[in-house]
Amino acid sequence: MKVLVVGNGGREHAIAWKLSQSPLVSELYVAKGNAGLWEIAKKVDISPTDVEALAEFASKEGIDFTVVGPEAPLVAGIVDEFEKKGLRIFGPSKEASQLEGSKAFAKKFMEKYEVPTAHYSVFDDFDRAMRYVKDVGAPVVVKADGLAAGKGAVVCFSEDQALKTLENFMKKGALGGAGRRVVIEEFLEGEEASYIVMVNGDRYVPLPTSQDHKRLLDGDRGPNTGGMGAYSPTPVIDGEMERRIREEVIERTLDGLKREGIFFRGFLYAGLMITSEGPKVLEFNVRLGDPEAQPILMRVRGDFLRMLLDFYEGRDVGIEEDPRWALDVVIASRGYPEKPEKGKVIEGLDEVKSLRDVVIFHAGTTVKDGKVVTNGGRVLNVCAYGDTLKEAKEKAYEAVSKIHFEGMHYRKDIGDKAFRYLDRGSSSRRS
Ligand code: AMP
Ligand code: GLY
C-alpha cells in the first residue's frame, strides 16, 4: 500500500516511524517532513496546508491511505478534499475540526452537552472584555478563539496582565485574526493530562494516557509552548479517573457530535485538568498531540496501519500497550517560542542512534550541505523506554547529553510530576 503522512514535526515522524513497521506498506510518503522523516519516507514537496494540491497528488500517485498530523490542514478541509476524490484519509472533516479550530465553538458545544469545563464568556468587543476582566478579577485565563500554535492561551495572575493580553490579542492583532474574538475562562487548579482516543462515528478506542509539559522552563515556568516533553502512561489518570473521563468527556462529546449531525473520524484529544471535582476539558484537539504522540505511539504494540485501516472500515480494534514507560524530551532552539534561531548544525545524532531503548524523532530539522541543521523552534524529540519511569528518564537524558547544537534548550524535569503521584502510591505502577 502507498501511505502518505501529512506534516513536518515530531508527531509526524512518530506516526511515520510506527506506520513504516507495517508489512502492508509498500511506499511511504511525507508532505513535507523533516530530515528524520526523509530517511524513512519519500519527500512530497507540497505544504501541509495546500490541501487541494495534496489531494491532487494523492489521486495521481494512487495513495491508498493518508494520515494527517497537524490541525492546520484539518481545519483547512484536507479531509473533505480527499474524500471528494474518493481517497481514504484518517482525520475529521472541516466541520468536525471546529472543535479545535474555534474555542468559542468548543465551549458552546461543551456547555450544551454538559461536558465538564471551566466557566467562560466569549467577547468580540474589547471594551466589554475589559469590563468583564475588571469584574471577575485574577487569576483568569484569556484565550484567542482561533488557531495560534500553542500561543493563544494566557493564564493571567493579575488583572493588569489580563488587560494587556486582551489588548495584544484584540487591538494589536498579535495573533492576526485568531485573537480578534476571545474566550475568557475561569482559572482551574489541578494536574494536566492528555487523553486521546481514535474515533469513528460513535465508536472509539482509547490510546495510552500521557502528560505534556507545556511551559518553556523547568518547574512549569515561562511562556506556554507547543509542548517541551511528554511521557506515557501518566499516573495522573488512574482507573477510576479514566472511567470518568470516558463517560463524562469522551462519550458525552461523541453523543453531542451525533446530535449535532457532525460525523467525526480521526483522533480526538481531550486536554484535561484533573481537578478535585473530576476531569475538566481545557481544550479539544482533533489530532494527536505533539509531543504526546511520540511516547504514545512508542507504547502501541503491533501493526498500527492495520489497526487504523480496520478502524476506518468500521471494525472494532483493540490497542495493546507496551508495559514499559516511554518518555520524550524536546530539544528546542534558542529564541523558541518567540523567534527561534535556525540553521545550526546538529551534532551527535549518529552516536545516539546506536543507543539501546532510545528513539529520536525529528521536528524542526532540515538538510543543508549534507548536514542535519535546525529549522524551527522544536528541533528534536529524544525518547527512551524504561521498565520504570525513572529508567526511561535517565536513558532519555543520557541521550540528550550526547546531542549538541548552538543555543539548544531543553527542560530537565520531564516526568517529575509523575514521581509525586507514584511516590504517594496513587498508582500501582513502579516508578
Ligand atoms: P489551551 O490552549 O486551552 O489548552 O491552554 C494552554 C494551556 O494553558 C493549558 O495547557 C493550561 O496549562 C493552561 N490553561 C488553559 N486553560 C486553563 C484554565 N481554565 N485554568 C488553568 N490553566 C489553563
Ligand atoms: N502538546 C499539546 C498539543 O499537541 O496540543
Side-chain angles (χ1 to χ4, degrees):
M1 280 181 89
K2 289 186 174 183
V3 177
L4 170 66
V5 174
V6 178
N8 306 328
R11 162 185 50 212
E12 290 73 31
H13 194 180
I15 294 171
W17 168 82
K18 189 70 192 147
L19 294 176
S20 71
Q21 295 162 16
S22 167
L24 297 171
V25 176
S26 59
E27 270 162 292
L28 188 60
Y29 297 81
V30 63
K32 283 186 176 182
N34 55 41
L37 271 156
W38 303 325
E39 287 176 14
I40 57 169
K42 280 191 188 163
K43 178 178 178 181
V44 180
D45 207 359
I46 303 174
S47 158
T49 48
D50 194 348
V51 299
E52 281 164 26
L54 282 172
E56 197 60 44
F57 164 81
S59 182
K60 278 214 182 101
E61 193 66 32
I63 299 290
D64 297 293
F65 195 64
T66 299
V67 182
V68 187
E71 61 278 18
L74 295 166
V75 173
I78 190 170
V79 170
D80 312 63
E81 282 302 320
F82 273 57
E83 286 179 349
K84 257 193 257 166
K85 293 191 177 338
L87 295 162
R88 289 187 295 181
I89 179 165
F90 194 72
S93 66
K94 186 172 183 167
E95 187 187 30
S97 298
Q98 286 180 89
L99 265 188
E100 173 165 4
S102 166
K103 297 253 186 219
F105 174 87
K107 293 297 284 191
K108 254 186 233 140
F109 177 92
M110 287 189 262
E111 191 172 40
K112 187 166 173 189
Y113 294 104
E114 296 181 356
V115 177
T117 187
H119 297 295
Y120 76 104
S121 292
V122 182
F123 297 93
D124 290 293
D125 182 89
F126 176 66
D127 293 323
R128 287 190 46 220
M130 290 227 302
R131 277 204 298 279
Y132 181 80
V133 161
K134 285 183 183 156
D135 229 34
V136 297
V140 71
V141 186
V142 177
K143 296 184 177 185
D145 177 50
L147 292 182
K151 293 179 207 150
V154 183
V155 179
C156 305
F157 289 102
S158 71
E159 199 176 296
D160 197 43
Q161 190 192 3
L163 296 176
K164 284 209 177 94
T165 305
L166 286 177
E167 194 175 344
N168 272 339
F169 284 6
M170 300 184 86
K171 281 268 187 222
K172 296 190 178 155
L175 301 171
R180 300 277 173 221
R181 167 182 288 178
V182 297
V183 169
I184 303 180
E185 214 175 81
E186 163 203 14
F187 173 76
L188 295 176
E189 260 177 283
E191 191 74 68
E192 284 188 60
S194 305
Y195 195 76
I196 307 177
V197 296
M198 306 199 316
V199 178
N200 188 357
D202 43 23
R203 285 166 197 253
Y204 75 95
V205 189
L207 291 171
T209 62
S210 60
Q211 187 177 46
D212 187 14
H213 295 66
K214 289 240 165 73
R215 301 297 193 100
L216 182 67
L217 306 173
D218 287 6
D220 285 342
R221 290 174 301 115
N224 264 327
T225 69
M228 293 298 294
Y231 65 89
S232 171
T234 178
V236 174
I237 299 178
D238 61 15
E240 168 59 12
M241 189 53 69
E242 178 158 18
R243 186 192 62 73
R244 288 191 62 180
I245 294 166
R246 290 179 70 152
E247 279 177 28
E248 295 170 28
V249 176
I250 303 299
E251 287 161 27
R252 284 183 202 171
T253 301
L254 299 192
D255 185 54
L257 286 167
K258 195 170 174 184
R259 284 169 196 264
E260 295 289 315
I262 299 176
F263 178 71
F264 193 108
R265 179 163 54 204
F267 299 104
L268 178 66
Y269 163 138
L272 301 168
M273 189 69 90
I274 307 298
T275 71
S276 53
E277 291 166 24
K280 297 201 179 182
V281 177
L282 294 175
E283 63 166 348
F284 278 123
N285 294 320
V286 296
R287 50 171 174 83
L288 288 168
D290 186 347
E292 294 96 319
Q294 291 81 315
I296 287 175
L297 292 176
M298 284 170 71
R299 297 190 56 249
V300 171
R301 279 189 162 164
D303 184 338
F304 193 51
L305 180 59
R306 176 87 270 160
M307 283 175 223
L308 281 177
L309 285 168
D310 282 348
F311 191 65
Y312 180 96
E313 304 292 353
R315 287 187 284 277
D316 281 328
V317 300
I319 299 280
E320 195 196 329
E321 293 188 24
D322 191 316
R324 291 175 297 172
W325 297 79
L327 183 136
D328 172 3
V329 179
V330 171
I331 308 185
S333 296
R334 182 157 53 207
Y336 177 70
E338 285 305 316
K339 254 186 116 193
E341 294 178 351
K342 291 183 181 179
K344 307 291 178 196
V345 176
I346 305 171
E347 282 160 315
L349 284 171
D350 285 335
E351 190 185 343
V352 166
K353 260 187 209 155
S354 59
L355 294 178
R356 255 190 76 212
D357 294 334
V358 171
V359 191
I360 305 287
F361 297 118
H362 287 228
T365 66
T366 190
V367 180
K368 201 172 152 199
D369 304 328
K371 290 192 174 129
V372 179
V373 300
T374 66
N375 193 37
R378 292 189 289 176
V379 175
L380 292 170
N381 298 263
V382 180
C383 309
Y385 289 103
D387 289 332
T388 61
L389 183 61
K390 191 159 164 274
E391 189 186 312
K393 184 181 173 193
E394 279 166 9
K395 284 185 183 162
Y397 279 103
E398 164 82 31
V400 168
S401 73
K402 300 189 186 308
I403 289 175
H404 181 75
F405 61 85
E406 193 192 315
M408 71 183 242
H409 163 75
Y410 59 91
R411 278 181 63 159
K412 300 183 182 56
D413 63 347
I414 303 302
D416 285 1
K417 279 186 274 189
F419 292 120
R420 292 207 296 268
Y421 280 76
L422 295 165
D423 293 343
R424 283 210 301 261
S426 65
S427 161
S428 56
R429 294 185 67 102
R430 288 169 301 144
S431 60

